[in-house]
Amino acid sequence: MREFAYDRAVDVVGALALLDADPDARFLGGGTNLVDLMKTGVERPARLVDVRDLPLDDIAVTADGGLRIGATVTNSDLAAHPEVRRRYPALAQAVLAGASGQLRNMATVGGNLLQRTRCGYFTDVTKPCNKRVPGSGCPAIEGEHHNHAILGASAHCVATHPSDMGVALTAFDAVVSYETADGPGELLLADFYLPVGDTPHRETTLPPGALITGVTLPPAEVAAHSRYRKVRERASYAFAIGSLAAALDVRDGVVHEARLAFGAVASRPWRAATAERVLTGASADAETFAAAADAELAAAKPLPHNGYKVTLMRNLVVAVLTELAEEAAR
Ligand SMILES: Cc1cc2nc3c(=O)[nH]c(=O)nc-3n(C[C@H](O)[C@H](O)[C@H](O)COP(=O)(O)OP(=O)(O)OC[C@H]3O[C@@H](n4cnc5c(N)ncnc54)[C@H](O)[C@@H]3O)c2cc1C
Ligand code: SF4
């Protein structure tokens, strides 16, 4: 492991200045991903700028009835917050479905969004990997890819994004706020992650050196009727092989509004906009739910060993939407 310097920033301006002063510096949240990657040599920063003392650890209701979540709020605090549980239950469920209690106590909102893929070739520095070493190749395409992408991948990378939290935030149209030396900025989470294309090493549209300061959830009545369901190979402490954040507003048996986002199927949390269009205005029954899933998954391009994800996601959509529709009918 490369030797590195450590600084603890106490204000946003200071954090940005520390990062700016060293081209090899990186922000440190809970360290639950970055430090692991440093140990294996995937990441080799010369300096870590710890952001956990910044005044960004608050969750507050916004004037319009949404929620503003600070970037250093821990996953545990986010999942336990009463307003999150009441207004955006799928978000609390998604966070609780991730990692372990100890990790959630350390991991932060900003770090969760920027965690790197769990592709085994990416984390093994003895292997080629276009994401880690641009132009070196993608062994996953011919090799081990049973948990890789079925949507939005390219011939250059088929990795998935591992975040559970990001899937729920995507369904609820979250907006990421950041600060740079040139001033603040905002990005819709839908525009935050770059398509893979031929540059899988470029993952987000965040400007270089930007500090994520928070995430804002706009108000959404439908979000109160939401659920996160995660399928994994172990009952706990495992990443998803497929997951779904879904919200459904049913009136007189008809879908008034639907929100759907898929996890573990693409390089980013996947907003299922095609499925939402099929659902809106249609009868809230299993036939509609299956048609919506099929419409979204028509774009899937599975690899030889991950075709099961198409069936898995279809079944997840039908099961979770059926549950939400039954609850609405009670
Ligand atoms: C065993 C294990 C199991 C896990 N299981 C799951 C799971 O099932 N689901 C899931 O979603 N996650 C899971 N995780 C991942 C975990 O949730 C992430 O490691 C964590 O959310 C990252 O947050 P962090 O604050 O520790 O980030 P760090 O490791 O500190 O940082 C991650 C990245 O974000 C950058 N960064 C951090 N904060 C900021 C900021 N404010 N502004 C700009 N950049 C910033 C860092 O520079 C770094 O590049 C697991 C992790 C482990 C180790
Ligand atoms: S899927 Fe992406 S991360 Fe994995 S080996 Fe290929 S290029 Fe690297």
Side-chain angles (χ1 to χ4, degrees), residues 117 119-123 128-132 137-141 148 156-160 196 200:
T117 183
C119 173
Y121 301 103
F122 173 75
T123 51
C129 166
N130 284 330
K131 190 183 274 299
R132 187 167 31 74
C138 175
I141 291 173
H148 284 59
H156 301 272
C157 179
V158 293
T160 56
V196 191

Side-chain angles (χ1 to χ4, degrees), residues 96-175:
L96 283 178
S100 65
Q102 293 93 331
L103 286 160
R104 291 193 295 271
N105 287 342
M106 291 297 292
T108 62
V109 169
N112 188 288
L113 294 177
L114 289 177
Q115 65 175 297
R116 312 295 302 277
T117 183
R118 293 279 157 171
C119 173
Y121 301 103
F122 173 75
T123 51
D124 180 348
V125 293
T126 66
K127 300 286 192 305
C129 166
N130 284 330
K131 190 183 274 299
R132 187 167 31 74
V133 183
S136 61
C138 175
I141 291 173
E142 299 286 326
E144 169 53 48
H145 57 237
H146 88 282
N147 195 16
H148 284 59
I150 57 169
L151 288 163
S154 80
H156 301 272
C157 179
V158 293
T160 56
H161 196 276
S163 173
D164 289 298
M165 176 193 298
V167 181
L169 290 176
T170 296
F172 299 144
D173 289 330
V175 176

Side-chain angles (χ1 to χ4, degrees), residues 2 26 34 82 114 133 252 262 266 270 274 322 326:
R2 182 184 183 185
R26 304 290 298 275
L34 180 55
L114 289 177
V133 183
D252 299 325
F262 296 174
W270 185 265
T274 304
T322 301
E326 284 171 0

Side-chain angles (χ1 to χ4, degrees), residues 183-275:
E186 286 191 338
L187 283 166
L188 256 180
L189 196 52
D191 302 326
F192 181 80
Y193 297 106
L194 284 163
V196 191
D198 56 4
T199 53
H201 58 290
R202 293 186 58 233
E203 295 180 349
T204 76
T205 50
L206 264 186
L211 172 76
I212 297 178
T213 52
V215 174
T216 304
L217 288 171
E221 273 182 40
V222 67
H225 312 287
S226 67
R227 183 151 304 166
Y228 188 74
R229 181 74 44 84
K230 172 174 176 176
V231 181
R232 43 192 155 177
E233 288 172 340
R234 278 196 311 258
S236 72
Y237 202 26
F239 287 90
I241 54 173
S243 71
L244 172 71
L248 202 62
D249 179 355
V250 179
R251 301 185 188 176
D252 299 325
V254 171
V255 177
H256 178 70
E257 186 178 358
R259 302 283 185 96
L260 291 184
F262 296 174
V265 294
S267 64
R268 51 182 161 169
W270 185 265
R271 183 71 179 263
T274 304

Side-chain angles (χ1 to χ4, degrees), residues 48-95:
L48 293 181
V49 178
D50 194 331
V51 299
R52 283 172 300 172
D53 279 354
L54 299 182
L56 302 173
D57 60 348
D58 198 28
I59 300 177
V61 177
T62 56
D64 62 0
L67 272 190
R68 161 91 189 173
I69 303 160
T72 63
V73 168
T74 64
N75 290 5
S76 296
D77 287 348
L78 179 63
H81 197 279
E83 292 299 325
V84 176
R85 296 168 74 97
R86 190 167 68 84
R87 293 162 187 246
Y88 306 92
L91 175 57
Q93 293 163 12
V95 174

